[in-house]
Amino acid sequence: MTGCSIEEATCGGGEYPVLSVGGTGSACVPNDQEPPKGYTRYPEGKVPEHVGDEWDTYWQTHTVDEDGRIVEVPPGG
């Protein structure tokens, strides 16, 4: 055992993660493309990089609304 851990990246090489507007869904988009309709880029400094990291966990209970504001997701939402 080497002591190293393998973290699962949020997206593959050449892609960036995007967040579903008004929901907790996410997707990966090629770096040379804009987010698809209904998705937006994560706010700067709050982008999840690995599954289970601080921001991945945060965005399970938060989202961005239509005006770009960070809001909590209602229970069951």
Side-chain angles (χ1 to χ4, degrees):
M1 193 147 315
T2 63
C4 295
S5 66
I6 299 175
E7 296 178 302
E8 185 178 348
T10 303
C11 291
E15 297 178 318
Y16 66 94
V18 292
L19 176 66
S20 172
V21 175
T24 58
S26 62
C28 294
V29 176
N31 287 339
D32 62 349
Q33 294 182 17
E34 289 300 313
K37 184 174 176 73
Y39 286 83
T40 188
R41 293 176 186 265
Y42 284 92
E44 189 173 339
K46 298 181 179 185
V47 180
E49 295 182 16
H50 297 96
V51 174
D53 72 11
E54 172 188 7
W55 292 116
D56 182 56
T57 302
Y58 177 84
W59 291 112
Q60 291 175 21
T61 58
H62 293 78
T63 191
V64 175
D65 69 13
E66 297 82 15
D67 297 319
R69 294 182 300 233
I70 296 173
V71 295
E72 280 194 56
V73 176

